[in-house]
Amino acid sequence: MNIIYVIFGDNIIYHIQTYLSIRTFQKQLDNSDKIFVMTTKPELYKHGGVNVIPISDDTIHEWEGDYHFFWRVKIKAMEYMSNHYPDGHLLYLDTDTFLFGQLSNIKERLLRGEGIMHKDEGHPSLMMSRSKKMWKQIANKYYDGIKLGMKHHMFNAGVVAIPQEKIDIVISKALAICDSMLAQGVERVVIEQYSLSISLYENTILTEGNNCIGHYWGNKEEWERFAMDIISKAYMQNLSIKEEISLINDSDLYKIPIHIHHSSTAAKIRKIIDRIFKDKNIIYIKQN
């Protein structure tokens, strides 16, 4: 299996998230598994124990395509892996993910012809968001020979696993659907996610991966503190990769919620308080 992360930019917390995710997977890798990090900051992964694929900002801009859609980069990164490393199943992961189940379970499902995305979020027509507006624009239309209907649910693309024999068709179809929607001026929200959902549904047995892989997009603050604690300890103690992996106690992964619904009223009140009671007596050191 080829596991791929795509990470760019200077914000160090995203790279620390990636390290935590990598370490949870490295606990269960076998000799046929490889982890790849495609990044504009290859110097940050010298201690990763991974295969680094350096990319430039120019490449990212190119992958955004003619319509400059940022998240199209995700599909193009998968296409790159398909072209250069076609020797196994493909597992794409967002940086804010972690393995808590058995990697062998995912491999068994891929061998059975299943495609995997993180979670079935339902049909876009039932969503109270811009996704619903998107659906009204594309309902019952054909995209790369596929008529869109109620069977095409929206799956979360924080996890995308594709069986080896289906990689080329899934990625080419997803890219074609994505580009067609962009060309038609469809609402620019999770188009790449829905394109992958449609393509995997049509070409594999599409299932959820949230029984094995966690995705903490709904509680980043606590998970980032946890990741920072692990990576900081490893750095300060000069631990090996094996020792660093041992720092991650599997039971700890169940103690931090992956999603918390924060009150919007409370957030508004905090903004009002911050606006009224501004920080004072801010002091900097003086330059010589």
Side-chain angles (χ1 to χ4, degrees):
M1 173 184 287
N2 293 318
I3 301 171
I4 175 70
Y5 298 86
V6 182
I7 173 67
F8 35 82
D10 295 319
N11 192 334
I12 197 65
I13 194 60
Y14 297 137
H15 298 281
I16 289 173
Q17 287 178 5
T18 307
Y19 260 93
L20 176 64
S21 184
I22 287 169
R23 295 298 185 245
T24 64
F25 277 85
Q26 284 175 327
K27 295 182 78 170
Q28 296 189 36
L29 300 184
D30 62 34
N31 292 334
S32 64
D33 299 319
K34 298 176 183 176
I35 295 180
F36 296 83
V37 176
M38 187 178 293
T39 180
T40 56
K41 296 293 180 180
E43 67 273 13
L44 297 180
Y45 294 89
K46 293 180 179 179
H47 185 61
V50 298
N51 301 279
V52 179
I53 303 174
I55 56 172
S56 65
D57 290 333
D58 289 341
T59 297
I60 292 172
H61 294 322
E62 178 188 337
W63 286 358
E64 288 177 356
D66 295 337
Y67 298 94
H68 309 290
F69 183 59
F70 178 75
W71 294 110
R72 185 179 183 269
V73 172
K74 182 181 290 191
I75 304 177
K76 290 295 290 183
M78 295 183 202
E79 181 184 58
Y80 179 96
M81 290 298 297
S82 174
N83 292 335
H84 292 83
Y85 302 96
D87 58 337
H89 304 307
L90 180 62
L91 173 59
Y92 165 88
L93 297 164
D94 277 357
T95 62
D96 54 352
T97 57
F98 62 96
L99 180 67
F100 67 90
Q102 296 301 311
L103 188 58
S104 59
N105 174 268
I106 295 173
K107 294 176 182 178
E108 289 168 3
R109 290 162 61 185
L110 290 168
L111 285 171
R112 293 197 299 264
E114 293 184 31
I116 302 171
M117 295 181 71
H118 184 252
K119 180 183 179 182
D120 184 351
E121 297 182 339
H123 195 272
S125 66
L126 305 176
M127 296 177 180
M128 300 302 293
S129 67
R130 291 170 61 198
S131 297
K132 188 172 185 177
K133 181 178 179 180
M134 177 189 73
W135 174 251
K136 290 179 179 179
Q137 296 172 316
I138 62 178
N140 300 312
K141 293 183 179 179
Y142 284 88
Y143 289 91
D144 205 44
I146 300 169
K147 184 179 181 180
L148 302 191
M150 295 303 294
K151 63 184 179 180
H152 296 114
H153 282 208
M154 175 85 74
F155 280 68
N156 184 286
V159 175
V160 181
I162 312 173
Q164 180 180 4
E165 67 276 9
K166 295 291 185 177
I167 292 174
D168 288 344
I169 184 64
V170 166
I171 293 173
S172 62
K173 283 280 186 183
L175 196 59
I177 294 168
C178 178
D179 286 346
S180 294
M181 289 185 182
L182 290 170
Q184 293 178 5
V186 171
E187 184 76 7
R188 291 165 70 96
V189 55
V190 295
I191 289 177
E192 89 297 338
Q193 180 166 285
Y194 199 36
S195 299
L196 285 163
S197 302
I198 295 164
S199 185
L200 278 161
Y201 176 84
E202 291 289 334
N203 294 288
T204 70
I205 305 165
L206 181 53
T207 58
E208 296 178 305
N210 56 356
N211 64 330
C212 293
I213 301 174
H215 189 199
Y216 55 85
W217 61 269
N219 186 26
K220 285 184 181 289
E221 186 175 334
E222 285 190 75
W223 278 95
E224 286 171 357
R225 286 199 299 267
F226 175 67
M228 183 71 77
D229 182 65
I230 294 289
I231 303 307
S232 298
K233 286 179 180 177
Y235 173 78
M236 287 187 284
Q237 296 177 45
N238 195 27
L239 299 183
S240 67
I241 291 174
K242 185 176 181 180
E243 290 170 330
E244 189 174 334
I245 291 170
S246 69
L247 280 180
I248 303 172
N249 189 329
D250 288 343
S251 63
D252 290 339
L253 302 178
Y254 294 88
K255 295 177 182 177
I256 310 172
I258 58 174
H259 188 273
I260 297 176
H261 176 73
H262 294 288
S263 168
S264 58
T265 302
K268 290 176 183 176
I269 292 172
R270 283 194 294 270
K271 286 183 179 179
I272 293 171
I273 292 173
D274 289 342
R275 188 164 59 246
I276 296 173
F277 301 99
K278 295 182 178 180
D279 295 333
K280 299 178 180 179
N281 298 324
I282 301 171
I283 300 173
Y284 296 91
I285 59 171
K286 295 180 179 179
Q287 294 185 6
N288 294 326

